[in-house]
Amino acid sequence: MGPLIRLVAVPDGMGPDDDRNNLLRLTVFMQEHMAPRVEELIRRSGEEEAAVDGDGDGWGRIRCVVADYDVGTWALDVARRTGVKSAAVWPASAAVMASLLSVPELIRDKIIDAHGKRKRQMNWSALTQEAFQLSPDMPMMQPAHLAWNCIGNDQGQELLFSCVLAGVRAVDECDYILCNSFRDAEAATFARFPKILPIGPLLTGERPGKPVGHFWLYVAFGSFTVFDRRQFQELALGLELTGRPFLWVVRPDIVHGDAHEYPDGFLDRVVASGNDGGRGKVVAWAPQQRVLAHPAVACFVSHCGWNSIMEGVRNGVPFVAWPYFADQFVNRAYICDIWRVGLPAVADKKSGMVTKEHLAGRVEEVMGDASMRERIEAMMVVAHESVQEGGCSHGNFDMFVESIMS
């Protein structure tokens, strides 16, 4: 039997020096350059029997296109044109996918305006800063936090919104929407939008038992969060003020200007070479799944990215929720308002910063709340059961695999 996975390179149209973190530009280029090549690949599949390891077995015809929604909705259009099944993989919460599928209703109800911006509005297509709710028991959402309102200038936001509309149409016509979530985490959303299938939490590390040891803080803000220097320093001082051991992931570009300016003496006082032997450790990267699975970690100071949330929930770690942009605010609503397994980091109205005193206080509240720990541990059990045989996510994934093989 030959290899089960065949890799095929398809150029995205960007040059070696282009910034692939520019999601808007990357999306446009991929649709323009990759779609025709992938369509050709699908149409040619099965026409020529390619020998594998000399045994004469061919690869056969492509039966299904599985595409990441964020950058691959063009591939769902290709699947429709070529007559093969399609599945959109949605890596964020089901609630955010539901908000995208509801764009026509949001326009109809004048929550957003698909025709342009209104006067005195900072964000393209946002008519109101009033929160809206797609159904009872779903998170409250803000128009300003919708994805296209969070990136670029007016022109870029309008272009991104047009891409979102095209993506919504493609997803609406695909066969499956696979979501890295589990039914009990977002029961109201899955009840209203049954086409979204939970298959998660996808693989994460799992801790063997309850937290033990020194009760470390794990502090990480994902791939995109950027602080100004004042907030970065206040965060550092807040971690020091907790008096607890911590592991802090500090990307090289996490501060505007690409330069870290720790508070005077912070590294000597607190990090590994400090006078007390080092309560804290600062790293540029950490194996997050393994960290959260470690039984000594008892609190996660997080930017509220959905993958991070699922990893924290899967391991029963409560949160201090500090979102940066877009869907992270919806995720904070899940953590703090619906599941009640964490507390928000709230900026001071006068300074606009999350102060060191506030951060240290939030950490202590989370660490000392026994009922919160009971709730997150209960969610951990349900999350684990969902991916075991007989669980909802396990069953959904089996159904999906069987359907594309038939």
Side-chain angles (χ1 to χ4, degrees):
M1 182 177 179
L4 297 178
I5 296 176
R6 181 184 182 186
L7 302 179
V8 179
V10 180
D12 59 15
M14 299 186 77
D17 297 326
D18 288 333
D19 179 14
R20 284 179 171 77
N21 287 325
N22 185 332
L23 298 182
L24 178 58
R25 182 177 172 84
L26 177 61
T27 300
V28 172
F29 269 64
M30 290 176 70
Q31 183 164 350
E32 179 181 348
H33 293 270
M34 296 184 74
R37 290 169 173 81
V38 171
E39 182 167 343
E40 180 186 8
L41 179 67
I42 294 173
R43 293 190 186 280
R44 283 177 30 220
S45 69
E47 293 179 359
E48 299 178 1
E49 292 294 317
V52 178
D53 292 338
D55 62 5
D57 291 336
W59 285 99
R61 181 169 295 279
I62 292 173
R63 298 186 181 191
C64 183
V65 171
V66 181
D68 184 307
Y69 174 91
D70 287 332
V71 292
T73 53
W74 56 266
L76 303 177
D77 284 329
V78 169
R80 177 178 50 79
R81 291 196 298 270
T82 54
V84 302
K85 293 180 180 179
S86 59
V89 178
W90 178 246
S93 72
V96 173
M97 169 53 70
S99 72
L100 299 179
L101 294 175
S102 300
V103 162
E105 289 77 16
L106 298 179
I107 295 172
R108 180 198 64 199
D109 296 340
K110 301 187 185 309
I111 294 172
I112 61 174
D113 183 357
H115 304 292
K117 66 179 181 179
R118 291 285 185 93
K119 292 181 179 179
R120 299 184 300 278
Q121 297 296 329
M122 295 298 293
N123 296 294
W124 185 85
S125 83
L127 298 184
T128 175
Q129 296 306 306
E130 296 290 332
F132 66 92
Q133 197 172 20
L134 295 176
S135 76
D137 299 323
M138 286 184 65
M140 299 297 294
M141 301 183 185
Q142 296 280 353
H145 296 154
L146 295 171
W148 58 88
N149 283 327
C150 298
I151 299 175
N153 55 22
D154 289 354
Q155 183 179 5
Q157 290 170 5
E158 185 172 353
L159 180 58
L160 181 56
F161 185 66
S162 67
C163 292
V164 168
L165 288 178
V168 168
R169 287 191 292 269
V171 167
D172 234 1
E173 294 174 353
C174 74
D175 296 289
Y176 300 100
I177 305 172
L178 308 177
C179 182
N180 181 22
S181 186
F182 57 104
R183 184 177 58 194
D184 286 14
E186 303 186 79
T189 302
F190 292 121
R192 181 173 174 184
F193 297 86
K195 189 173 183 177
I196 307 174
L197 295 180
I199 61 167
L202 298 177
L203 183 64
T204 69
E206 274 191 297
R207 69 173 61 201
K210 295 183 178 181
V212 296
H214 295 292
F215 302 104
W216 279 61
L217 311 179
Y218 175 59
V219 186
F221 290 92
S223 302
F224 291 102
T225 303
V226 176
F227 293 115
D228 63 32
R229 285 183 173 83
R230 291 174 60 222
Q231 183 62 86
F232 178 78
Q233 293 188 349
E234 199 73 8
L235 167 58
L237 294 172
L239 295 177
E240 180 179 6
L241 191 59
T242 66
R244 295 183 177 274
F246 62 85
L247 174 64
W248 182 14
V249 180
V250 181
R251 297 190 330 269
D253 62 342
I254 200 169
V255 184
H256 281 300
D258 296 336
H260 300 143
E261 291 187 4
Y262 293 96
D264 290 343
F266 172 78
L267 296 177
D268 289 334
R269 293 193 307 270
V270 182
V271 183
S273 61
N275 297 330
D276 60 357
R279 286 190 292 101
K281 186 170 181 61
V282 175
V283 295
W285 179 86
Q288 181 164 292
Q289 294 181 8
R290 291 175 58 194
V291 170
L292 290 170
H294 196 285
V297 175
C299 181
F300 184 6
V301 181
S302 172
H303 68 303
C304 304
W306 188 251
N307 286 337
S308 292
I309 289 175
M310 286 294 98
E311 290 165 3
V313 166
R314 184 77 182 269
N315 288 289
V317 181
F319 300 85
V320 173
W322 191 336
Y324 179 61
F325 79 137
D327 69 303
Q328 296 163 11
F329 292 93
V330 175
N331 302 342
R332 178 182 63 183
Y334 268 129
I335 290 171
C336 301
D337 303 328
I338 296 179
W339 305 333
R340 296 186 296 131
V341 296
L343 294 174
V346 181
D348 177 73
K349 291 183 179 179
K350 185 175 181 180
S351 68
M353 291 193 304
V354 175
T355 67
K356 57 182 181 293
E357 294 85 3
H358 176 76
L359 177 60
R362 280 305 201 214
V363 167
E364 289 309 305
E365 288 181 79
V366 168
M367 299 281 254
D369 192 326
S371 60
M372 183 180 294
R373 188 163 299 282
E374 289 175 0
R375 287 191 292 272
I376 190 67
E377 289 174 358
M379 283 195 74
M380 174 180 66
V381 171
V382 174
H384 175 79
E385 291 174 347
S386 71
V387 294
Q388 302 303 306
E389 188 169 358
C392 178
S393 292
H394 189 281
N396 286 337
F397 192 77
D398 277 354
M399 180 273 293
F400 166 66
V401 172
E402 289 171 5
S403 73
I404 64 175
M405 296 300 293
S406 61

